[in-house]
Amino acid sequence: PSVDFTIAAWFNWTTNPSPYYSGIPGGGVSWELRVRADGRFAIIFYQAIGPDIVTSAVSPGAYNDGTWHHAAGVLQSGLAKLYVDGVLVAQDTTNPITSVRPSTQTVVGSIASGFVGAIDEVRIFHSAGQAGDTHRAAADLLRQRRQVGQRGHHIQPRPGDRRQEHR
């Protein structure tokens, strides 16, 4: 992937991953959009070539409230940014990376721990520019879903389940 990159998805959960974190990994230790054991979102991007440098960002608050939240991890100019529900909530300002390790397989719902909840509408963009429209659209859709109580279609993987659902 290029230096600018975005991974985005909708999440809904109340039970935090245990004992570590879950979410959506790019495989090959390239990137991870995480749901942490404390209920916060995180994004991490790994540099393609040595030395091992990462750029990451963690949301200041938890989102494990049983409602839908849109999370987007953006790599822009070598630094991580994290958007939740269309709002920039965290960003890295030091140690930019020069490239991202290739993703060997994207798995929804499992990294170090299984995810218990729903993940929907996973999107990957090979630029940060497209992400701005995604964040605005996510904020608008979130308002609509909350107004009408819509749940949408979702994937509910079981802990340790390696099956993937494709649409």
Side-chain angles (χ1 to χ4, degrees), residues 5-78:
F5 185 76
T6 301
I7 176 73
W10 287 91
F11 294 84
N12 184 338
W13 80 102
T14 56
T15 303
N16 291 333
S18 178
Y20 304 110
Y21 53 89
S22 188
I24 307 169
V29 190
S30 59
W31 54 265
E32 296 171 351
L33 181 56
R34 296 178 177 176
V35 172
R36 295 168 31 124
D38 59 5
R40 297 185 296 161
F41 284 113
I43 184 66
I44 185 166
F45 294 97
Y46 299 86
Q47 183 161 281
I49 54 175
D52 279 342
I53 298 173
V54 301
T55 181
S56 63
V58 178
S59 67
Y63 294 90
N64 56 337
D65 58 6
T67 61
W68 285 100
H69 294 283
H70 185 265
V74 176
L75 180 65
Q76 188 171 30
S77 300

